[in-house]
Amino acid sequence: MKFGYLIVVSTDDSVDYVQMAYALALSIKNTQRPGYDQVALVIDDLNQISRFNSTWVFDHVIKWDQETYWDGRSWMDKLSPFDATVCLDADMLFLRDYSHWIDYFLENSELS
């Protein structure tokens, strides 16, 4: 089963959600073990990510501008390139390995 994290961001003039998503993806790459470190970014403006040096932190970049913010998340099952997905807020950081929780949820939940 292919697992990954999905981050849905929209361009905003007052808050740089794209920068936050980049920091979150970096924190995932630096703390999660292989197989639990895949990140997909859903974004309305692909030009926003070209300003970052390490765009490799996003394993998948999906352009989608049909809905914004919370409304965009309602489409995560259609947008996610993974079999099992955890959708994250862009303003989070991973400070240690949480991959054991993924195993627990996959074994004990019907959601995926």
Side-chain angles (χ1 to χ4, degrees), residues 87-103:
C87 188
L88 301 172
D89 285 341
D91 62 349
M92 300 173 64
L93 291 175
F94 279 34
L95 302 177
R96 65 182 188 89
D97 183 10
Y98 296 104
S99 57
H100 62 283
W101 283 107
I102 303 307
D103 292 333

Side-chain angles (χ1 to χ4, degrees), residues 13-93:
D13 292 333
S14 61
V15 179
D16 193 349
Y17 290 108
V18 181
Q19 178 76 39
M20 289 183 206
Y22 179 69
L24 172 55
L26 279 171
S27 74
I28 289 170
K29 294 296 186 186
N30 283 305
T31 59
Q32 304 311 291
R33 53 190 170 126
Y36 299 85
D37 62 348
Q38 297 290 297
V39 178
L41 176 70
V42 177
I43 189 167
D44 59 349
D45 180 6
L46 293 176
N47 294 322
Q48 292 290 318
I49 62 166
S50 63
R51 61 189 160 126
F52 302 119
N53 292 330
S54 302
T55 57
W56 55 266
V57 299
F58 301 117
D59 299 288
H60 303 274
V61 177
I62 303 157
K63 181 181 180 353
W64 193 70
D65 59 2
Q66 302 302 307
E67 303 282 346
T68 58
Y69 305 106
W70 285 102
D71 294 332
R73 289 183 180 191
S74 63
W75 293 92
M76 72 177 136
D77 62 321
K78 305 281 191 259
L79 295 169
S80 177
F82 309 115
D83 299 323
T85 304
V86 170
C87 188
L88 301 172
D89 285 341
D91 62 349
M92 300 173 64
L93 291 175

